[in-house]
């Protein structure tokens, strides 16, 4: 079986910052600090001094950025629930199904997909009339393999008496899932140097290229003196250009197996009791956290060793059917 699955969502809620300096002002005063020229972070005389008690804007000085805001007597003003967001999903699936024969049924499916969102602005200076940035959904997984099946165990078919009651008639089923990891959230406060940050042989201690060029011109967190720089630290008060998620860097996902065994006991002509034993994450595989994106720290690229999924969970159940 070959199939296509797609979805389109419109008029999703979006928030926008109304009290940011305009793009023209941002470009005029932001960026690299040049001696003798004003900068957004410069301290200036505060015309609201003494007029806004119990706020952070009541002092003798404030920043140039604060006074350039459309409403300088406030800090942030957010308009919420603007119905202009979008989300779209496309997937192709190939599946093979073996119908029940000799007590066995099996289904194998492979899905290749892409999930995109446009529900956030990249910068506060982006005009509300423009479409929010199109980026990967944080749960996008481009490849997914699933194997599921049910087997009526053929053992002890000829058993009788108490042994037959206890041992024959058991069934087992399971779902095995293997999928690509979610995209890594991009580090905040950095530009891309234009190279692919993914490594050919990532490790848990260095999962991607962490080589940074700081605002002082120093190289930091580089594996060698000639490793190409992957990230450039943004100067203060500059426009972000890096997308929110990086498709090329995807922390590995565990192989997950959910497994169960069950058997029905006939108590009366129309009364049956089913016993079930179920195990979720039956392999007890730990899913570790994402690599650190604190690019100038010693932990940059280090996989978080904390387990983020549930350990193996086993449950036993009795189900009365009549």
């Amino acid at each position: 079986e070959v199939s296509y699955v797609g979805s389109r969502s419109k008029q999703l809620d979006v928030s926008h910052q109304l009290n940011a300096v305009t793009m023209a002002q941002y470009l005029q005063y932001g960026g690299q600090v040049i001696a003798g020229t004003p900068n957004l972070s410069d301290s200036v005389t505060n015309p609201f001094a003494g007029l806004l008690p119990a706020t952070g804007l009541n002092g003798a000085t404030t920043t140039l950025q604060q006074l350039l805001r459309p409403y300088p007597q406030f800090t942030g003003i957010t308009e919420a629930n603007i119905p202009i967001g979008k989300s779209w999903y496309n997937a192709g699936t190939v599946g093979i199904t073996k119908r029940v024969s000799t007590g066995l049924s099996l289904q194998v499916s492979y899905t290749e997909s892409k999930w995109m969102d446009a529900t956030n602005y990249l910068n506060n200076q982006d005009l509300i009339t423009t479409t929010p940035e199109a980026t990967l959904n944080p749960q996008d997984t481009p490849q997914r393999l699933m194997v599921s099946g049910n087997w009526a165990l053929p053992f002890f078919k000829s058993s009788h008496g108490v042994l037959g009651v206890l041992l024959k008639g058991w069934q087992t089923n399971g779902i095995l899932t293997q999928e690509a990891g979610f995209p890594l959230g991009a580090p905040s406060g950095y530009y891309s140097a234009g190279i692919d940050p993914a490594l050919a042989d990532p490790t848990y201690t260095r999962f991607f290229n962490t080589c940074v060029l700081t605002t002082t011109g120093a190289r930091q967190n580089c594996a060698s003196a000639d490793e190409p720089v992957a990230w450039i630290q943004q100067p203060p008060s500059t426009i972000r250009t890096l997308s929110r998620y990086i498709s090329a860097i995807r922390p590995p996902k565990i192989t997950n197996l959910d497994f169960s065994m069950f058997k029905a006991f006939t108590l009366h002509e129309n009364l049956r009791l089913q016993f079930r034993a179920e195990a979720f994450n039956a392999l007890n595989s730990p899913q570790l956290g994402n690599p650190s994106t604190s690019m100038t720290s010693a932990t940059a690229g280090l996989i978080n060793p904390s387990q983020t999924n549930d350990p193996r969970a086993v449950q036993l159940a009795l189900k009365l059917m009549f």
Side-chain angles (χ1 to χ4, degrees), residues 196-209:
D196 186 352
L199 297 176
D201 298 304
T203 64
Y204 282 96
T205 56
R206 195 171 191 264
F207 196 75
F208 60 92
N209 184 336

Side-chain angles (χ1 to χ4, degrees), residues 175-238:
I175 302 175
L176 181 73
T177 305
Q178 178 65 65
E179 59 187 357
F182 299 147
L184 182 68
S188 178
Y190 294 89
Y191 299 124
S192 169
I195 69 167
D196 186 352
L199 297 176
D201 298 304
T203 64
Y204 282 96
T205 56
R206 195 171 191 264
F207 196 75
F208 60 92
N209 184 336
T210 58
C211 192
V212 172
L213 185 67
T214 68
T215 53
T216 62
R219 288 166 55 91
Q220 193 168 346
N221 286 336
C222 302
S224 63
D226 58 353
E227 182 178 39
V229 169
W231 315 96
I232 301 173
Q233 191 175 26
Q234 280 184 235
S237 302
T238 51

Side-chain angles (χ1 to χ4, degrees), residues 122-229:
L122 195 58
N123 294 283
N124 290 332
Q125 286 71 27
D126 296 340
L127 296 176
I128 197 170
T129 54
T130 62
T131 303
E133 180 213 14
T135 186
L136 288 171
N137 182 280
Q139 294 185 321
D140 171 71
T141 178
Q143 296 177 324
R144 192 168 196 252
L145 176 68
M146 178 177 288
V147 181
S148 61
N150 187 91
W151 187 24
L153 301 178
F155 313 118
F156 308 106
K157 279 189 173 182
S158 59
S159 299
H160 299 285
V162 176
L163 193 63
V165 171
L166 295 177
L167 298 181
K168 72 179 181 180
W170 284 91
Q171 295 187 57
T172 180
N173 60 23
I175 302 175
L176 181 73
T177 305
Q178 178 65 65
E179 59 187 357
F182 299 147
L184 182 68
S188 178
Y190 294 89
Y191 299 124
S192 169
I195 69 167
D196 186 352
L199 297 176
D201 298 304
T203 64
Y204 282 96
T205 56
R206 195 171 191 264
F207 196 75
F208 60 92
N209 184 336
T210 58
C211 192
V212 172
L213 185 67
T214 68
T215 53
T216 62
R219 288 166 55 91
Q220 193 168 346
N221 286 336
C222 302
S224 63
D226 58 353
E227 182 178 39
V229 169

